[in-house]
């Protein structure tokens, strides 16, 4: 992989992280089309770096929310910000459990398995289609909802299952307000990504990679800039509740991926 490829994949990651179309699935498809032959561990490292870039863009877009949350936490009392933070922590439990105990099995899925990604994209399309039919409400995410949404986030670790699509769809199907569901979905992933980076640093996994630093830096910058634009745009789109468009897109790309995978493997 060279810097040009890294930039393309970075833009793909930044644009698709916030759109409910599976950024990880698109990255795997992009690597397959570009002919990336990295072993799964190296491929996962590059994916993690790009996810960290989009996590940073999330913090920038939601900077006012993040500041308010920290202000509320430092009041050292139970308030709206403390409650929201507690729900975020609860939502992290399923994905953290899966990531900790099944890390090796997950890494093996990030090796350009186009057929698998295609089928998962079709599942994402189904989730989005069902969510689009749900009625909008003013209900906010509850503690029990937070855990269920966390389970959907854990499942979305699979390439092809959209994290934002799965979590927003789950939240909406549980009867929550779509705008609140999107806000919760975008913020709940940040601690997990940061935790993953810290864990890999402590374990020495990042140091073992042979990926050139320039490739990682270019990919990071491209994903960050694209993520800023996509996150801002997606907030507007969610308010309009047009998930069916993304459902159709995921279905078409999923079918195309299955056809591509069938004739190339």
């Amino acid at each position: 992989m060279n810097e040009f490829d890294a930039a393309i994949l970075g833009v793909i990651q930044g644009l698709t992280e916030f759109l409910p179309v599976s950024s990880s699935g698109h990255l795997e498809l992009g690597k397959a089309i570009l002919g990336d032959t990295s072993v799964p561990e190296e491929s996962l490292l590059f994916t993690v770096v790009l996810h960290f870039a989009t996590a940073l863009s999330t913090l920038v877009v939601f900077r006012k929310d993040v500041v308010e949350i920290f202000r509320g936490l430092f009041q050292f009392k139970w308030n709206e910000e403390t409650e929201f933070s507690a729900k975020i922590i609860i939502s992290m439990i399923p994905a953290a459990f899966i990531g900790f105990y099944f890390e090796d099995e997950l890494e093996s899925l990030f090796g350009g398995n186009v057929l698998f990604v295609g089928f998962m994209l079709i599942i994402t399309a189904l989730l989005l289609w069902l969510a689009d039919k749900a009625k909008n409400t003013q209900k906010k995410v509850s503690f029990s909802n937070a855990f269920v949404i966390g389970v959907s986030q854990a499942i979305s670790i699979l390439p092809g299952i959209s994290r934002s699509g799965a979590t927003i769809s789950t939240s909406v199907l549980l009867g929550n307000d779509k705008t609140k569901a999107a806000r919760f979905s975008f913020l709940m992933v940040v601690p997990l990504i940061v935790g993953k980076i810290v864990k890999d640093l402590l374990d020495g996994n990042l140091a073992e990679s042979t990926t050139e630093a320039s490739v990682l830096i270019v990919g990071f910058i491209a994903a960050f800039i694209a993520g800023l634009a996509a996150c801002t745009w997606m907030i507007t789109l969610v308010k309009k509740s047009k998930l069916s468009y993304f459902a159709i897109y995921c279905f078409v790309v999923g079918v195309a991926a299955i056809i591509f995978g069938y004739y190339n493997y």
Side-chain angles (χ1 to χ4, degrees), residues 61-77:
V61 173
F62 288 98
R63 56 189 179 279
K64 293 183 180 179
D65 297 81
V66 173
V67 170
E68 288 299 318
I69 290 172
F70 276 102
R71 283 178 180 174
L73 290 175
F74 281 107
Q75 291 178 9
F76 300 105
K77 63 180 181 180

Side-chain angles (χ1 to χ4, degrees), residues 8-25:
I8 293 177
L9 293 175
V11 171
I12 292 175
Q13 161 65 23
L15 292 176
T16 59
E17 173 65 26
F18 302 102
L19 302 180
V21 295
S22 179
S23 59
S24 61

Side-chain angles (χ1 to χ4, degrees), residues 100-179:
F100 184 81
Y101 288 102
F102 299 96
E103 183 176 13
D104 292 337
E105 289 79 3
L106 290 173
E107 288 181 355
S108 65
L109 297 174
F110 288 83
N113 191 336
V114 178
L115 279 173
F116 181 80
V117 171
F119 283 113
M120 294 302 101
L121 280 170
I122 291 178
I123 292 177
T124 295
L126 177 61
L127 283 173
L128 293 173
W129 187 267
L130 291 174
D132 194 60
K133 303 301 179 183
K135 295 182 180 179
N136 198 16
T137 67
Q138 296 299 315
K139 178 184 174 184
K140 66 178 182 179
V141 178
S142 66
F143 283 98
S144 59
N145 288 167
F147 183 80
V148 176
I149 296 170
V151 172
S152 68
Q153 177 168 251
I155 296 174
S156 70
I157 295 176
L158 298 174
I161 297 292
S162 166
R163 191 204 63 80
S164 62
T167 53
I168 292 175
S169 295
T170 300
S171 184
V172 170
L173 290 172
L174 289 171
N176 295 305
D177 175 77
K178 292 182 179 180
T179 301

Side-chain angles (χ1 to χ4, degrees), residues 29 32-33 112-122 250-265:
L29 294 178
I33 294 173
N113 191 336
V114 178
L115 279 173
F116 181 80
V117 171
F119 283 113
M120 294 302 101
L121 280 170
I122 291 178
C250 286
F251 180 80
V252 172
V253 175
V255 172
I258 292 173
I259 295 174
F260 177 85
Y262 180 79
Y263 285 103
N264 289 273
Y265 291 93

